Amino acid sequence: MPSTLQRVTLSTGVDLDVQVAGSRDAPPVILLHGFPESHRTWRDIVPDLARDHFVLAPDQRGYARSSKPEGVENYAPDKIVADLLALADSFDLDRFTLVGHDWGGAIAWMAALKHPERIARLVIVNAPHPLVFQRSLFDDPEQRAASQYIRRFRDTSLDSGLIGAGLERFFASTFAQVLTSAVAGKHRAAYLDEWSQPGAMTAMLNWYRASAIEVPAPDEHPPRPAWLDGPFPPVTQPTLVIWGMSDKALLPVQFEGLGALVPDLTIERVEGAGHFVPWEDAPAVLAAMRRWRI
């Protein structure tokens, strides 16, 4: 099915570029990318889904050429969730299937928990459940060590050097060592163009800075948040979790206790793929979705 990139003005005050594909009469699905990508995350997924779905894949706030409001507070998760619902409203979508990868998956978890009346079904791709992730950062030394890049990303002194050659070095070293050795691959030029947009790197990193997730240093022993051991609401939607098992940033500990938090859970493990499984092994992601009857 043909697709277009449309500029959509949302009631939340931001403009997003949104890939739109498929028939408006088909079941709706919204795809949310993570850091440091864009709607391009789904480049090998959208054409197949659009055969029998109405597909929206936005460049989320702060990314590519979408709006980049100033201030860390404008990247708090509740504001991103509000963008998602406003996007759905713009296309008159009452309930829809929601797919999220990485930070897009974090937003998808939150949207499903807080707005179950809007999210019919949930697909999570290499994105940890908020409770499981926060527990692991306190209880699992390996996950805590693997997540130290978040502390680095929260350092605002990074931003001034993320232009030109400095931008390339950042993605060729710091980020790549954590997640993948080929973040952009043959699409490198397109990604560098998106990352080089005025204010983009600060806006993208502000997602990390606005998050309430605590990432202790490896040798730190902070007080344990009481909510980690208290009751937590279940995810009520049928949920498919797809996971590239070679992910260096998000370790298999993220599956521990997940079934108790997500009663209607299906897990599909993709061996040989890492964090960016939507483009490392798109056929496996699509096959998992289709087995799940998306």
Side-chain angles (χ1 to χ4, degrees):
M1 295 290 293
S3 67
T4 60
L5 196 63
Q6 300 181 17
R7 190 74 167 180
V8 180
T9 298
L10 302 184
S11 59
T12 53
V14 298
D15 295 340
L16 303 185
D17 285 339
V18 182
Q19 184 180 12
V20 181
S23 168
R24 290 292 297 266
D25 297 328
V29 58
I30 299 180
L31 308 172
L32 300 180
H33 67 83
F35 180 95
E37 297 209 68
S38 63
H39 72 278
R40 298 175 63 81
T41 296
W42 312 107
R43 56 185 171 263
D44 297 321
I45 304 293
V46 168
D48 188 89
L49 289 185
R51 292 187 296 110
D52 48 11
H53 288 79
F54 177 59
V55 182
L56 300 177
D59 292 340
Q60 299 199 76
R61 71 163 67 193
Y63 285 84
R65 288 170 172 78
S66 289
S67 294
K68 300 169 182 64
E70 292 187 7
V72 170
E73 69 279 2
N74 284 309
Y75 297 88
D78 63 319
K79 293 187 181 294
I80 314 295
V81 170
D83 286 348
L84 165 66
L85 298 181
L87 175 62
D89 291 343
S90 294
F91 287 88
D92 297 320
L93 306 182
D94 180 33
R95 284 173 60 79
F96 51 91
T97 295
L98 181 59
V99 182
H101 170 251
D102 183 74
W103 260 113
I107 297 304
W109 282 121
M110 183 174 176
L113 285 162
K114 291 187 173 294
H115 301 278
E117 75 284 357
R118 302 297 302 273
I119 314 303
R121 305 177 85 208
L122 187 65
V123 180
I124 299 292
V125 186
N126 283 71
H129 183 283
L131 177 61
V132 177
F133 187 43
Q134 186 63 91
R135 276 182 182 165
S136 70
L137 292 172
F138 275 79
D139 299 342
D140 188 276
E142 291 185 2
Q143 183 60 70
R144 186 187 295 197
S147 297
Q148 291 304 300
Y149 71 94
I150 296 175
R151 294 170 63 88
R152 177 62 172 149
F153 286 180
R154 287 172 169 171
D155 181 358
T156 56
S157 67
L158 271 179
D159 300 15
S160 61
L162 294 178
I163 56 173
L167 180 63
E168 294 203 42
R169 283 194 299 271
F170 177 73
F171 284 104
S173 57
T174 305
F175 182 66
Q177 288 173 6
V178 174
L179 299 179
T180 177
S181 61
V183 64
K186 67 181 181 180
H187 299 273
R188 179 181 183 81
Y191 278 115
L192 283 172
D193 172 69
E194 292 176 352
W195 300 336
S196 298
Q197 295 305 306
M201 285 307 307
T202 292
M204 291 158 61
L205 291 170
N206 278 346
W207 283 54
Y208 291 93
R209 296 160 185 166
S211 168
I213 289 289
E214 295 183 49
V215 186
D219 56 354
E220 190 178 358
H221 301 284
R224 182 181 177 85
W227 67 273
L228 293 187
D229 302 305
F232 199 89
V235 173
T236 58
Q237 295 87 348
T239 300
L240 170 65
V241 170
I242 302 172
W243 208 273
M245 295 302 293
S246 297
D247 194 329
K248 296 179 177 64
L250 296 168
L251 308 181
V253 69
Q254 299 309 321
F255 299 131
E256 290 187 7
L258 189 58
L261 295 162
V262 189
D264 190 347
L265 174 65
T266 301
I267 297 176
E268 291 267 5
R269 295 170 173 84
V270 182
E271 302 294 341
H275 184 73
F276 290 95
V277 63
W279 52 261
E280 291 180 70
D281 194 345
V285 173
L286 279 167
M289 289 182 174
R290 292 304 188 179
R291 279 193 295 271
W292 194 64
R293 301 290 193 271
I294 193 172

